[in-house]
Amino acid sequence: MKHTIWLLWDHLHHDHSILAAASPRTHRIIMIESRSAGARLRYHTHRLTLLYSAMRHRAEELRAQGWHVDYHPLSDKKNAAAEALAAHTKKYRTESFHLIEPTDYPMRQAVTLLAKKISTPIHTHPDDLFLCSREEFARFAKNKKRLLMEHHYRAMRKKLGLLMTPDGQPEGGAWNFDHDNRAGIREFVRAGSPQAPPPPWCAPDAITRSVIAEVKKYFPAHPGDPATFRLPVTRQRALDWLNHFIRHRLPLFGTYEDLISQKDPLLFHSMLSPFLNCGLLRPLECCQAAIAAHRAGAAPLNAVEGFVRQIIGWREFVNGIYWEKMPGYLDANALQAERPLPRWIYSGDTRMACMHHAILQLQATGYTHHIQRLMVLGNFFLLAEARPPDVLRWYNEMYIDSYDWVMAANVLGMILHADGGYMATKPYAATSAYINKMSDHCAGCHYRHAEKSGPRSCPFNSLFWRFWHKHRDRFSANPRVKALIAGWDKRPAAEKHAVLQTADEHLKNIDTL
Ligand code: FAD
């Protein structure tokens, strides 16, 4: 056995293409817990616990299948990967290492550097974690000034044959059913505030308990308490999680997709991203499970199509954009936003109820659903003109499912419009009217959601109008917002003055909002 497969922490999929083409007789496996990868940013401790524990469980599974796994746990070593690969080569006289192309640039660069440091060649194989290859996406993006997710999504539906009729039409006669997916808090309450049973949390086993202790030791200043970690760390438990979602949450996933509730952070979302992103679950099997539920009459089309679109639409699209636009994408700042993050952004110590709850929830679990990421936190960062690299760093640190490939387009493109509209036709800016319609936050908030000016007015309101006022030249011809900007222009001068002055005050006092 002269060849070794290197399994990275987000390449834990059971159908790993190099493993599938090899055998325990021809290849060894090496797995390395890199402390420097875990400390590249102040990553949430639940993210680190998930990844290290899932790696250790995967190593056990592979050993049980007869593989020789050379496992290097977290240690004080500074260059763990280089040392582990060198020691492995020496011990087993390895002639080559094989790994799937890393999912992001920093890891790709690290591998390139390592390949120069050690004498054994490192071969990278095409990424098999996504349904659309980097080359296929490049063909889709070629010669386009801006990209529309919808176009890519339709192409993916056709390619994969998901929710398509035999004559090539979308099932149900439409590509999406979003008009059925916008129920707000009032509709939710009117429907009796439906609740799904809690997902199948997992008590940590001995392996996870030792990871928790090591994460505490090695990453003491990272957000979150690893002792409260309760997520699946094996494929079998992740499949249980998926099946529970399909049975209990999927049916209402569409209807309440945009809703935010203080009482129920998950609502009808799947919380599958942590498992999808490290390979414990596969995107196609999640879609097929949802479609099977629809075929069995257990989930309506608006829910199933909405869920499938998130996975083969948005997920593939943001990964494609990452590889299309990197490495320059991280420097994007089209709106020239240059303000620092507020001081309370890690503690949640703000009187804005929606921000306060989202941040506390993040500290505790590393998870908020999409609308909190986009329309509460993201909306605030956009309107508060926060510097894109700081925002990117913050999201990467606070979320359990964070990876460069998924954060870049979601943060820089979708929320901050920093890429000048490459992936979003307009910024997702909103006043408190949206937050009040979709959530139960505003009623108990220190700030008054119905006021546009004055010290107790909700900051989202005056900052929203300041945003369009400031960027009018860029957006006044945009068909999606030109009426809004024209409407603002017609407001009485005194009203505009009061709103803009309030926005200035809120920005000046941002650390004590
Ligand atoms: P559900 O609502 O149940 O959706 C199902 C799945 O669809 C998700 O698990 C995810 O895999 C996929 N999905 C949905 N929307 C997106 C999207 N915009 N981009 C990529 N995948 C999507 N997703 C991450 O996986 N990691 C991140 O670090 C991340 N950061 C984000 C930051 C911002 C500012 C925004 C606006 C979105 C971010 N997303 C990220 C996308 C999306 O919000 C999460 O995937 C989703 O909220 C995860 O929760 P869920 O599994 O309950 O999703």
Side-chain angles (χ1 to χ4, degrees):
M1 276 195 285
K2 301 283 183 215
H3 306 289
T4 293
I5 302 167
W6 181 10
L7 291 189
L8 301 179
W9 67 355
D10 55 350
H11 286 174
L12 305 179
H13 41 314
H14 65 289
D15 51 351
H16 189 284
S17 57
I18 312 178
L19 275 182
S23 90
R25 285 189 315 280
T26 57
H27 288 69
R28 287 191 175 82
I29 292 173
I30 186 165
M31 296 175 82
I32 309 162
E33 291 180 3
S34 160
R35 193 175 153 200
S36 57
R40 193 163 65 80
L41 295 175
R42 249 170 31 104
Y43 291 116
H44 200 287
T45 53
H46 285 205
R47 178 185 188 271
L48 297 175
T49 306
L50 168 69
L51 291 176
Y52 294 131
S53 181
M55 278 177 86
R56 290 183 193 189
H57 283 87
R58 181 76 180 121
E60 291 303 308
E61 279 165 17
L62 290 163
R63 282 187 183 125
Q65 291 163 15
W67 292 90
H68 176 113
V69 182
D70 179 19
Y71 198 94
H72 296 256
L74 277 170
S75 71
D76 289 321
K77 289 177 191 152
K78 271 211 173 117
N79 299 312
E83 287 184 36
L85 295 178
H88 183 92
T89 303
K90 197 168 162 203
K91 188 166 174 188
Y92 302 111
R93 298 166 183 236
T94 307
E95 288 175 6
S96 63
F97 287 105
H98 296 263
L99 78 159
I100 300 274
E101 173 81 6
T103 55
D104 61 38
Y105 251 76
M107 189 59 198
R108 183 198 251 191
Q109 281 167 326
V111 170
T112 310
L113 274 179
L114 273 174
K116 285 184 191 148
K117 270 193 201 159
I118 62 168
S119 49
T120 322
I122 301 181
H123 299 286
T124 52
H125 296 239
D127 180 6
D128 62 354
L129 279 161
F130 292 87
L131 299 166
C132 174
S133 71
R134 294 173 196 175
E135 295 71 30
E136 188 185 346
F137 194 88
R139 283 195 295 278
F140 163 77
K142 197 169 174 201
N143 298 331
K144 294 193 178 94
K145 262 197 178 152
R146 49 192 51 193
L147 303 181
L148 276 183
M149 193 286 289
E150 186 65 27
H151 293 163
H152 191 248
Y153 167 57
R154 291 182 187 188
M156 290 295 290
R157 284 262 298 269
K158 287 183 195 159
K159 176 179 113 167
L160 299 167
L162 295 183
L163 295 175
M164 300 298 294
T165 61
D167 60 345
Q169 296 305 310
E171 263 182 43
W175 289 100
N176 84 57
F177 300 88
D178 264 353
H179 49 275
D180 295 332
N181 290 355
R182 300 218 172 91
I185 196 76
R186 276 152 212 83
E187 287 103 318
F188 178 69
V189 172
R190 241 182 277 133
S193 306
Q195 243 193 334
W201 302 113
C202 302
D205 63 6
I207 294 181
T208 303
R209 285 198 299 276
S210 65
V211 170
I212 289 172
E214 289 169 54
V215 167
K216 267 189 182 164
K217 172 180 158 195
Y218 285 117
F219 308 98
H222 290 222
D225 176 3
T228 60
F229 178 87
R230 292 288 178 277
L231 289 178
V233 288
T234 62
R235 173 159 168 78
Q236 192 47 54
R237 294 281 86 81
L239 282 169
D240 294 346
W241 189 279
L242 167 66
N243 292 332
H244 187 277
F245 163 72
I246 298 287
R247 183 148 176 229
H248 298 289
R249 303 189 127 79
L250 176 66
L252 289 179
F253 172 85
T255 309
Y256 298 118
E257 199 177 346
D258 289 359
L259 190 77
I260 303 170
S261 166
Q262 246 161 251
K263 297 173 201 112
D264 184 356
L266 193 53
L267 285 160
F268 298 94
H269 289 267
S270 67
M271 205 183 181
L272 289 175
S273 49
F275 318 121
L276 278 166
N277 294 355
C278 67
L280 291 184
L281 291 176
R282 308 295 276 134
L284 196 54
E285 71 185 349
C286 294
C287 295
Q288 284 165 342
I291 293 170
H294 176 57
R295 301 262 182 273
L301 189 54
N302 68 307
V304 174
E305 185 285 317
F307 177 71
V308 167
R309 178 152 31 99
Q310 304 313 309
I311 294 189
I312 67 166
W314 281 111
R315 187 170 189 273
E316 297 291 329
F317 187 63
V318 298
N319 181 56
I321 288 179
Y322 181 77
W323 289 102
E324 197 53 27
K325 284 288 181 188
M326 283 296 283
Y329 201 55
L330 297 190
D331 301 325
N333 190 2
L335 300 184
Q336 293 170 359
E338 291 297 349
R339 290 175 187 268
L341 300 181
R343 250 187 248 147
W344 42 261
I345 205 63
Y346 288 96
S347 69
D349 191 9
T350 166
R351 290 169 295 179
M352 300 171 75
C354 51
M355 295 293 286
H356 172 77
H357 282 284
I359 296 168
L360 289 200
Q361 191 187 314
L362 270 177
Q363 280 285 357
T365 64
Y367 174 86
T368 67
H369 72 59
H370 183 66
I371 296 301
Q372 281 170 294
R373 299 184 201 214
L374 178 68
M375 299 308 294
V376 176
L377 299 160
N379 188 16
F380 181 81
F381 289 128
L382 171 76
L383 300 182
E385 301 169 2
R387 287 183 61 238
D390 297 349
V391 180
L392 195 56
R393 184 187 182 98
W394 181 85
Y395 273 99
N396 265 309
E397 290 178 346
M398 297 299 275
Y399 278 91
I400 190 166
D401 54 4
S402 72
Y403 295 84
D404 278 30
W405 64 264
V406 59
M407 277 299 178
N410 273 305
V411 170
L412 300 173
M414 199 183 296
I415 69 166
L416 297 180
H417 211 77
D419 64 2
Y422 182 64
M423 69 163 290
T425 47
K426 75 168 188 67
Y428 283 85
T431 64
S432 65
Y434 179 85
I435 298 170
N436 187 42
K437 181 171 174 251
M438 302 313 297
S439 81
D440 50 8
H441 287 310
C442 299
C445 186
H446 166 83
Y447 293 101
R448 296 177 185 135
H449 65 87
E451 291 179 15
K452 285 210 245 350
S453 57
R456 290 288 292 272
S457 64
C458 172
F460 278 102
N461 296 340
S462 52
L463 292 177
F464 174 86
W465 290 114
R466 175 193 157 92
F467 178 84
W468 295 114
H469 184 80
K470 180 170 172 185
H471 297 293
R472 60 151 23 79
D473 290 347
R474 179 180 278 272
F475 294 110
S476 55
N478 181 321
R480 296 189 65 196
V481 290
K482 69 179 181 197
L484 180 110
I485 295 174
W488 163 252
D489 287 340
K490 286 190 200 124
R491 305 304 304 161
E495 181 187 326
K496 288 196 282 193
H497 179 72
V499 170
L500 294 176
Q501 208 173 25
T502 300
D504 284 346
E505 283 297 308
H506 283 323
L507 282 179
K508 201 168 85 197
N509 301 320
I510 198 153
D511 288 333
T512 53
L513 275 181

